[in-house]
Amino acid sequence: MEPLSHRGLPRLSWIDTLYSNFSYGTDEYDGEGNEEQKGPPEGSETMPYIDESPTMSPQLSARSQGGGDGVSPTPPEGLAPGVEAGKGLEMRKLVLSGFLASEEIYINQLEALLLPMKPLKATATTSQPVLTIQQIETIFYKIQDIYEIHKEFYDNLCPKVQQWDSQVTMGHLFQKLASQLGVYKAFVDNYKVALETAEKCSQSNNQFQKISEELKVKGPKDSKDSHTSVTMEALLYKPIDRVTRSTLVLHDLLKHTPVDHPDYPLLQDALRISQNFLSSINEDIDPRRTAVTTPKGEKANKGQSRAIERLKKKMFENEFLLLLNSPTIPFRIHNRNGKSYLFLLSSDYERSEWREAIQKLQKKDLQAFVLSSVELQVLTGSCFKLRTVHNIPVTSNKDDDESPGLYGFLHVIVHSAKGFKQSANLYCTLEVDSFGYFVSKAKTRVFRDTAEPKWDEEFEIELEGSQSLRILCYEKCYDKTKVNKDNNEIVDKIMGKGQIQLDPQTVETKNWHTDVIEMNGIKVEFSMKFTSRDMSLKRTPSKKQTGVFGVKISVVTKRERSKVPYIVRQCVEEVEKRGIEEVGIYRISGVATDIQALKAVFDANNKDILLMLSDMDINAIAGTLKLYFRELPEPLLTDRLYPAFMEGIALSDPAAKENCMMHLLRSLPDPNLITFLFLLEHLKRVAEKEPINKMSLHNLATVFGPTLLRPSEVESKAHVTSAADIWSHDVMAQVQVLLYYLQHPPISFAELKRNTLYFSTDV
């Protein structure tokens, strides 16, 4: 899902402010440390809207949402739940060092903007001036003052961060910075005129045009790039963005500063001043917002804060559901006039239902009828009203009063099928729902030329709030001439489909439960049993330390004298060789018996591993890799760092988040880090084939996030209270942590280890 940028948008209502929060960073990186030039959109005459609700971000975990980070400057009491004072102060250091890095870049940008000002002023009094004094003062209005304010702030903050002491105080620096926001008010008031003047001068003066199109910005101290080229328009936008950035940092600092720390009241005051400033700026931009954003009285403020918190929480849930359940299965409808319409569905089951419904309608003799002009006008008017007034809510397909569903693992054995009229190449797929959205989870092998297939294949399917199991039976098509025009794929024919409810009382037993599902005259026999989330959360160390499953990754790599465990390298190599274009790779479960067979071979270090891998179904190999990470005695990203990952992904300021997330990677043991980076690059290569395999970075993060981060049993008890909490809190954050790294430019082990102070970037 692309982030929504608040830059250059039309004047917004207060609820739109929430949506504008999806983009805090205003610059992007190309992977080589070069900043892309991004100012306000060309031709935009809209006054920039400054984000005044700085706590929401796409990566905000549900854990932080309960912390009271509303628009009201009242942070949570004490430190975040479960975080010791020492860890909180360490996070405080990471937030500050990340902000310091971005502050250095900001000062360099202001310097670059000021660089041409002196020579331009010098020529203004000559016979051939480039610009007049008035034009210069309009374009560079208050830039010198802003530069001096931030240079002083940086010079005072830098030694405090570099010579860190847990009792260090810097709240007075932020308080002073906030007290000087009047300079920014003057800059913002002049911003539109400054842009217009710069544009007019560029059009009328070639010399100034060349200057304004390529200003050289000095790179950070540790950067390999000494300078980058940025336009004047882009640089003039930086101060507007900086106010929001400073407010985000204040939220993050308060979140990780003990209430009894001397900085706490100073930071609180700085945050109050900053938020009042942002509110006043936005009221000047659009006076209509005043009635909504500035209610009278303390009671109104508290009510507004609670309302916004509820909206943020709901929006976060909706965004995450969209992220996880974006439909990918194409369904095209053609009309008689030659036009066609493409819909994306989440499940082949739904696509089949649509086809059947349309075919029934086509068989009916639908009579044409004529509408009068008045009737046509009423009809179109109603449609327009529906389109503009009736907003379909973006929510789960589940009703609020429905049961929460099952969490854990469903073991399913697909035995056999009867009722086919003739022999065919047959297979079945299994779908389960996750909060009302269905996704394919398993696929049997193709049983060739038979009317009575006997698969007897077992699958282990992870359930996340699931209530239904669907079984679809297909006839495999090997005819390459029957290619679907919609997606250039050969479409197999659905012979039958059926659905059963997962009754907790029926499936939550230790014994197998056998059942038969009927579909279009076809009967499929299957068995199932369920393992609860409480049982599946356990990471049990192996008693056999000579194997690889359930053995610490450091022990395995030391024994093998390798940087990445052999099992990881071989499974990845095989997937990239013949499974990278497999639809649903890593999401579709392999046959459980095949996975167990591969597990036994790897544990025994059998010489026939390579031969067995080459003959094994690719989903079983992918499943073996997932099982290896799931059965590690502690997660790949370690129990020790788990709370910090949860805190880091919840940070609001992009620079602080970047600094924290890179610091956490550096803190991993080398075998864990090297293996993680190896897996990360593999998953990115898998996602490059998304048009074919339907596995986006989001899908892969959903599959691997909990596997790589889920704590061992001891840690789990500290962070998990119920099955619903697992999904709505930790699992969401686990997915977001992995997604953050997947969406990040390539991370080099050597580069990561070299940057020990902070990982500086302008996010």
Side-chain angles (χ1 to χ4, degrees), residues 48 100 155 181 193 238 371 393 428 488 515 581 593 637 709 757:
L100 191 69
D155 289 343
L181 284 172
V193 181
K238 298 298 177 183
L371 290 174
C428 286
N488 203 32
D515 206 343
E581 295 187 352
T593 49
L637 300 188
L709 276 140
L757 174 61

Side-chain angles (χ1 to χ4, degrees), residues 377-582:
Q377 189 176 0
V378 171
L379 179 62
T380 54
S382 299
C383 289
F384 181 78
K385 185 179 179 183
L386 278 172
R387 189 186 71 181
T388 55
V389 176
H390 182 63
N391 295 318
I392 299 171
V394 184
T395 58
S396 162
N397 282 344
K398 281 181 58 181
D399 295 330
D400 292 339
D401 57 353
E402 284 187 41
S403 67
L406 295 172
Y407 292 82
F409 288 88
L410 185 69
H411 303 263
V412 181
I413 301 175
V414 182
H415 296 293
S416 60
K418 296 179 181 178
F420 296 98
K421 295 176 181 176
Q422 59 187 34
S423 294
N425 302 315
L426 303 166
Y427 70 93
C428 286
T429 64
L430 305 177
E431 293 182 356
V432 294
D433 62 308
S434 176
F435 286 85
Y437 294 89
F438 281 85
V439 65
S440 182
K441 285 284 191 175
K443 178 182 175 181
T444 68
R445 71 182 186 277
V446 179
F447 217 98
R448 296 200 175 215
D449 299 320
T450 181
E452 293 189 2
K454 294 183 179 179
W455 294 285
D456 290 323
E457 292 181 344
E458 181 186 338
F459 302 94
E460 185 182 69
I461 299 170
E462 188 168 6
L463 303 182
E464 294 156 335
S466 305
Q467 292 182 313
S468 303
L469 169 69
R470 289 173 172 176
I471 299 182
L472 297 91
C473 199
Y474 292 84
E475 179 183 354
K476 182 70 178 176
C477 178
Y478 291 105
D479 187 351
K480 293 184 179 180
T481 62
K482 295 182 179 180
V483 174
N484 188 309
K485 293 179 182 178
D486 295 346
N487 52 12
N488 203 32
E489 293 176 1
I490 297 173
V491 177
D492 299 332
K493 182 181 177 183
I494 293 182
M495 305 298 289
K497 64 183 191 303
Q499 175 174 307
I500 63 162
Q501 293 301 114
L502 296 174
D503 179 15
Q505 291 182 345
T506 305
V507 297
E508 286 185 334
T509 60
K510 294 181 180 179
N511 302 321
W512 286 93
H513 170 72
T514 303
D515 206 343
V516 174
I517 193 166
E518 295 194 30
M519 45 177 84
N520 298 350
I522 301 165
K523 294 182 179 180
V524 177
E525 184 184 359
F526 65 97
S527 300
M528 60 183 178
K529 69 175 181 178
F530 174 72
T531 306
S532 70
R533 175 76 81 170
D534 296 336
M535 295 297 293
S536 62
L537 271 173
K538 293 180 179 178
R539 289 182 182 269
T540 309
S542 173
K543 295 177 182 177
K544 183 184 175 185
Q545 290 295 299
T546 54
V548 294
F549 282 82
V551 179
K552 284 186 177 180
I553 198 166
S554 57
V555 173
V556 173
T557 51
K558 187 176 180 180
R559 184 205 311 144
E560 295 177 350
R561 296 181 181 177
S562 62
K563 292 183 177 180
V564 176
Y566 179 72
I567 181 175
V568 176
R569 286 182 282 123
Q570 288 306 128
C571 289
V572 163
E573 185 180 324
E574 202 64 33
V575 168
E576 293 195 2
K577 188 191 298 180
R578 60 188 178 92
I580 202 163
E581 295 187 352
E582 183 79 13

Side-chain angles (χ1 to χ4, degrees), residues 3-244:
L4 304 174
S5 176
H6 65 266
R7 201 183 262 190
L9 286 175
R11 290 177 282 213
L12 305 175
S13 67
W14 68 278
I15 192 157
D16 289 327
T17 312
L18 298 179
Y19 283 89
S20 72
N21 279 316
F22 279 101
S23 176
Y24 293 116
T26 56
D27 306 306
E28 295 178 358
Y29 270 66
D30 57 9
E32 298 296 331
N34 299 320
E35 181 185 4
E36 291 185 15
Q37 302 167 20
K38 285 200 173 184
E42 290 183 17
S44 171
E45 295 190 7
T46 308
M47 174 63 76
Y49 181 84
I50 297 184
D51 187 347
E52 61 174 287
S53 176
T55 56
M56 187 64 185
S57 75
Q59 290 82 14
L60 183 65
S61 75
R63 184 182 295 272
S64 70
Q65 289 176 9
D69 300 352
V71 171
S72 168
T74 307
E77 292 185 11
L79 290 166
V83 179
E84 297 170 13
K87 290 180 181 176
L89 292 170
E90 177 65 20
M91 286 293 295
R92 192 163 174 261
K93 178 188 175 184
L94 291 172
V95 170
L96 283 167
S97 56
F99 183 62
L100 191 69
S102 66
E103 189 75 0
E104 180 191 345
I105 293 168
Y106 179 49
I107 290 169
N108 291 345
Q109 290 164 343
L110 293 173
E111 278 183 347
L113 199 53
L114 288 170
L115 197 61
M117 189 175 74
K118 289 182 181 178
L120 285 171
K121 277 188 175 179
T123 63
T125 55
T126 64
S127 58
Q128 292 182 319
V130 178
L131 300 179
T132 66
I133 288 290
Q134 186 178 355
Q135 287 170 332
I136 294 167
E137 288 178 350
T138 302
I139 294 169
F140 298 95
Y141 186 67
K142 295 296 179 182
I143 297 295
Q144 183 69 45
D145 294 341
I146 292 172
Y147 169 78
E148 288 170 3
I149 288 168
H150 282 269
K151 186 70 169 64
E152 182 187 0
F153 173 78
Y154 178 86
D155 289 343
N156 289 325
L157 182 63
C158 190
K160 290 178 179 291
V161 175
Q162 290 180 338
Q163 299 167 7
W164 181 254
D165 182 337
S166 61
Q167 293 303 311
V168 69
T169 58
M170 83 295 295
H172 60 288
L173 300 179
F174 281 92
Q175 192 180 38
K176 185 177 179 181
L177 190 67
S179 69
Q180 295 170 310
L181 284 172
V183 177
Y184 275 90
K185 175 71 166 66
F187 177 86
V188 171
D189 289 344
N190 181 70
Y191 175 75
K192 185 180 176 182
V193 181
L195 278 186
E196 289 172 350
T197 305
E199 188 177 348
K200 286 176 184 176
C201 292
S202 293
Q203 291 171 355
S204 60
N205 191 303
N206 289 334
Q207 196 175 349
F208 180 71
Q209 185 181 17
K210 288 179 182 178
I211 292 170
S212 63
E213 284 181 351
E214 199 169 325
L215 293 170
K216 299 290 183 184
V217 178
K218 189 167 60 178
K221 293 171 187 173
D222 297 333
S223 172
K224 59 183 177 182
D225 298 312
S226 56
H227 289 87
T228 54
S229 297
V230 187
T231 66
M232 183 173 288
E233 183 186 14
L235 288 179
L236 282 171
Y237 184 78
K238 298 298 177 183
I240 290 174
D241 176 59
R242 198 65 195 170
V243 185
T244 302

Side-chain angles (χ1 to χ4, degrees), residues 553 563-565 568 572 576 629 636-637 645 661-662 664-666 668-685 708 738 741-742 744-753 759:
I553 198 166
K563 292 183 177 180
V564 176
V568 176
V572 163
E576 293 195 2
F629 286 117
L636 185 66
L637 300 188
F645 276 112
M661 299 303 277
M662 294 304 126
L664 290 173
L665 285 190
R666 282 194 295 275
L668 287 169
D670 281 0
N672 297 58
L673 175 56
I674 295 169
T675 302
F676 178 68
L677 295 179
F678 178 81
L679 181 65
L680 208 60
E681 291 310 306
H682 164 63
L683 295 179
K684 289 181 181 181
R685 288 191 289 272
L708 301 179
L738 181 56
Y741 292 122
L742 285 171
H744 197 280
I747 303 168
S748 157
F749 176 81
E751 188 76 17
L752 197 64
K753 289 292 185 178
F759 196 93

